[in-house]
Amino acid sequence: GGRVNHSTMKTLFVLALVVAAAAARDLNGAKVLRVVPQTETQLRFLVQLLQGGDYDFWSEPRGVGAPVDVMVTAQQLPKLAAHFNRSGLKAKLRLGDVGRLVEEQKKERSNGRAMDWTSYHTYDEINDWLASLVSTYPTLCSIEAVGTSYEGRTMNLLTIGKGGADKPGIFIDGGIHAREWISPATVTFMVNELVTNSATYDDILSNVNFYVMPAINPDGYAYTFSDDRLWRKTRSPTDSALGCVGADPNRNWDHHWMEVGASSSPCAETYAGPTPFSEVEMQVVRDQINRYASTVKAYLTFHSYSQLWMYPWGYTSALPDDWQDLDNLAQDAVSALTAVYGTTYEIGSSTNTIYAAAGGSDDWAKGVAGVKYAYTIELRDTGNFGFLLPASQIIPSGEETFQGLLVVANFIKDTYSK
């Protein structure tokens, strides 16, 4: 005895590797900690920690005095606690057991039910529902398959409007980050509101076209249902020998790409991809914005969480020349949103509201496609549940956000419709 043959050793070693890879995402006992940087040094430390890719930042560093939420597995906790202590950051517990919350929330999934807004729906269910709108509202809605995700899922563009192709447009997308489930849910809620109450909104629908893609990271979104609820990126393989997968699709747009706030490490949550527009899904969305760029006057991209209504630039603290126009419309939209349930939103340019990050879709929409009113909207909440927002909040989130959208739509109609 005592001798283990080589092949057994090898098998054990490979098994250990597989177990290690699986354990990398053990959410049992994982916690979300909140720290508030009080100095530029602490802020820089958090930005470096984010770009290192070891920890999952639920909310990104936004500036001195702004809270940052970091998820930490039980295994990582001692190391992160030591990091925080060394830099003088005091951590508060936000969520005590992420794994348990994920398990509990599995019952909030639709499990094949018809489209509703009391549960979260899969990518296929959303696509089926989009198709059904065209048969139910043929004079109002049309759908077109405009591309295919890396794993082969159909990407559809829904067009809503009855005034003709020359009317001013609003381009709306959601779900660029896979785990932000409230985003596709809120976008589809707003679509449903528009089409089921089309008589009420006849003036808007006769004078404005809506171009909508509710879930623009199909593979990532599907993966949050099948494997890892907290997956953020796409699912394309990277060149990494470490076997890491996916790029951050909101760092992948070709506008000051990789200049700031993105990582070149394939394992990081903010990995910008090997090249601009390396992710096929972002090419698809880009091509649709370009296709309608001559008429599209507003671009709204929905994320979660933090309750922010942001405009460019993301890559620099300098403001666009027309920032006052963007700010005015944002203030009006947020006032209408807040009036519904009292939900408060911060407003500002991306860099002055959130730390600098280049390669985002809103910067590209404004800086390259020339869409004047480009906004990134971070939906509910402010960290009580974070990405794991209960399904009971879909309808209230939808109702209040829809009021903000109506302000934008009426403004576009009044300003641009002949």
Side-chain angles (χ1 to χ4, degrees):
R3 285 191 58 190
V4 179
N5 75 35
H6 186 68
S7 67
T8 313
M9 279 296 289
K10 206 163 145 194
T11 310
L12 287 173
F13 177 66
V14 170
L15 271 176
L17 275 183
V18 169
V19 169
R25 210 49 165 169
D26 181 8
L27 298 178
N28 290 317
K31 297 177 179 358
V32 175
L33 304 179
R34 171 164 290 186
V35 289
V36 182
Q38 303 298 345
T39 65
E40 286 294 337
T41 309
Q42 289 179 337
L43 183 66
R44 269 200 308 276
F45 164 76
L46 288 169
V47 170
Q48 281 165 347
L49 206 59
L50 167 69
Q51 282 164 15
D54 289 338
Y55 300 98
D56 185 355
F57 278 67
W58 277 29
S59 67
E60 293 166 21
R62 293 201 281 130
V64 172
V68 177
D69 296 342
V70 188
M71 186 179 79
V72 58
T73 62
Q75 295 90 327
Q76 292 175 317
L77 186 59
K79 193 173 166 193
L80 186 64
H83 276 312
F84 283 164
N85 281 340
R86 261 204 312 281
S87 54
L89 287 160
K90 293 180 180 36
K92 273 208 199 70
L93 186 66
R94 284 305 264 148
L95 290 176
D97 189 344
V98 175
R100 203 186 69 222
L101 197 53
V102 168
E103 279 308 306
E104 279 171 10
Q105 288 199 349
K106 283 191 173 159
K107 60 181 179 293
E108 306 207 320
R109 302 181 185 186
S110 59
N111 295 325
R113 278 208 302 282
M115 195 64 176
D116 62 21
W117 289 271
T118 53
S119 62
Y120 289 107
H121 288 266
T122 65
Y123 187 74
D124 291 340
E125 286 164 8
I126 292 171
N127 258 353
D128 290 346
W129 176 73
L130 290 175
S132 77
L133 291 180
V134 183
S135 42
T136 315
Y137 308 99
T139 56
L140 198 56
C141 298
S142 61
I143 194 173
E144 188 183 349
V146 291
T148 308
S149 71
Y150 177 80
E151 290 179 350
R153 292 180 176 85
T154 301
M155 296 180 70
N156 288 312
L157 176 78
L158 175 74
T159 302
I160 311 169
K162 53 185 196 179
D166 58 333
K167 293 294 180 196
I170 299 175
F171 195 102
I172 298 172
D173 66 46
I176 193 169
H177 289 140
R179 61 192 177 184
E180 299 170 5
W181 282 10
I182 191 61
S183 164
T186 297
V187 170
T188 52
F189 178 93
M190 295 192 299
V191 165
N192 193 58
E193 229 14 57
L194 269 179
V195 300
T196 54
N197 303 299
S198 60
T200 310
Y201 307 117
D202 188 73
D203 194 22
I204 290 174
L205 293 167
S206 301
N207 290 288
V208 177
N209 290 317
F210 295 84
Y211 304 101
V212 189
M213 300 184 75
I216 61 171
N217 177 3
D219 302 343
Y221 187 68
Y223 193 74
T224 60
F225 280 78
S226 63
D227 288 79
D228 180 352
R229 171 65 185 84
L230 295 171
W231 188 257
R232 166 185 170 101
K233 299 191 282 184
T234 59
R235 293 294 303 162
S236 59
T238 62
D239 311 332
S240 167
L242 302 162
C244 294
V245 174
D248 181 340
N250 205 40
R251 298 289 188 283
N252 192 235
W253 294 66
D254 194 2
H255 182 266
H256 295 264
W257 180 79
M258 265 300 294
E259 279 179 21
V260 61
S263 176
S264 54
S265 157
C267 296
E269 294 284 357
T270 55
Y271 175 49
T275 54
F277 286 123
S278 57
E279 305 313 290
V280 66
E281 299 84 3
M282 297 309 105
Q283 298 170 27
V284 171
V285 182
R286 170 200 66 193
D287 291 350
Q288 293 314 303
I289 298 172
N290 273 334
R291 176 183 175 188
Y292 296 106
S294 62
T295 56
V296 166
K297 303 301 175 190
Y299 171 72
L300 307 177
T301 180
F302 288 93
H303 290 243
S304 73
Y305 61 95
S306 283
Q307 294 169 203
L308 310 170
W309 194 296
M310 297 182 290
Y311 48 84
W313 301 112
Y315 75 95
T316 171
S317 57
L319 290 166
D321 296 340
D322 58 352
W323 74 271
Q324 196 71 67
D325 296 345
L326 278 78
D327 195 81
N328 289 342
L329 181 54
Q331 300 284 352
D332 291 347
V334 165
S335 296
L337 184 159
T338 303
V340 183
Y341 291 111
T343 310
T344 55
Y345 268 63
E346 272 182 64
I347 299 165
S349 85
S350 296
T351 304
N352 297 314
T353 318
I354 210 163
Y355 82 109
S361 66
D362 59 342
D363 272 15
W364 182 90
K366 184 164 182 63
V368 180
V371 178
K372 180 174 167 82
Y373 293 95
Y375 297 110
T376 295
I377 298 148
E378 296 271 1
L379 297 165
R380 295 187 180 197
D381 57 9
T382 55
N384 286 335
F385 295 97
F387 303 120
L388 303 175
L389 196 70
S392 59
Q393 291 198 38
I394 297 171
I395 291 172
S397 167
E399 290 171 337
E400 67 193 8
T401 311
F402 183 66
Q403 293 306 313
L405 175 63
L406 284 182
V407 167
V408 174
N410 277 309
F411 174 83
I412 297 301
K413 168 179 72 73
D414 296 343
T415 310
Y416 295 105
S417 187
K418 310 288 174 281

